[in-house]
Amino acid sequence: MQTLTVLVLVGTGLVAGVLFAVAISVMPALIAMEPARYVSTHKLLGRRYDRIMPFIVTGSVVIDVVLAVNREVGVRTGLFVAGAIAMLGVAVVSQTRNVPINNRVKATGPEDLGPDWVDPRRLWRNWHLVRTCFALAGCTLSAAAVVWS
């Protein structure tokens, strides 16, 4: 169980940290860019995140659930369940909101950036902030469950 508690802290902490960093640093930089530069930069950034983040988020949910069912029902169980639900929120927002926008940006070419181009950055940022809040909650709840006595 100790290994799982370390893994849930690492997983939820990584997700919360990455999403927080994107929210306070990367996204403001992307919003400040000219559209063509934004599109090419967004494509570059997504190459790495898109492959690893779903695995870490899903792994964190699974570990939270495993830790919840391997405890006597009580506050710790509730905290692990709440942590899993919060991390599930990250996954749902990511897959239903941010990923579809990412896919549209990846399919965008320079010729698509005319006057009728719909800039997705603010909508993407708004959904990103929602999932960042879920991630911060998931990390906090999981950490609280680990240290609860």
Side-chain angles (χ1 to χ4, degrees), residues 41-111:
T41 303
H42 185 115
K43 289 177 184 181
L44 288 172
L45 290 171
R47 286 183 186 167
R48 304 291 189 261
Y49 286 129
D50 293 354
R51 284 188 240 164
I52 192 74
M53 291 303 283
F55 175 75
I56 298 171
V57 172
T58 303
S60 297
V61 171
V62 169
I63 294 169
D64 263 328
V65 169
V66 168
L67 289 168
V69 299
N70 282 308
R71 304 267 183 230
E72 291 182 28
V73 175
V75 173
R76 290 182 86 184
T77 300
L79 290 169
F80 280 125
V81 168
I85 291 168
M87 295 306 289
L88 189 59
V90 172
V92 169
V93 171
S94 294
Q95 294 304 311
T96 65
R97 303 296 178 212
N98 293 93
V99 168
I101 295 170
N102 291 346
N103 292 339
R104 283 195 303 274
V105 172
K106 287 177 189 175
T108 301
E111 69 281 357

Side-chain angles (χ1 to χ4, degrees), residues 11-28 49 53-54 56-57 86-87 89-91 93-94 98 102 124-125 127-138:
T12 60
L14 277 171
V15 173
V18 166
L19 296 184
F20 183 77
V22 168
I24 66 165
S25 182
V26 175
M27 201 59 221
Y49 286 129
M53 291 303 283
I56 298 171
V57 172
M87 295 306 289
V90 172
V93 171
S94 294
N98 293 93
N102 291 346
W124 191 96
R125 180 209 50 211
W127 284 114
H128 179 75
L129 292 174
V130 171
R131 69 182 178 173
T132 301
C133 290
F134 276 127
L136 292 169

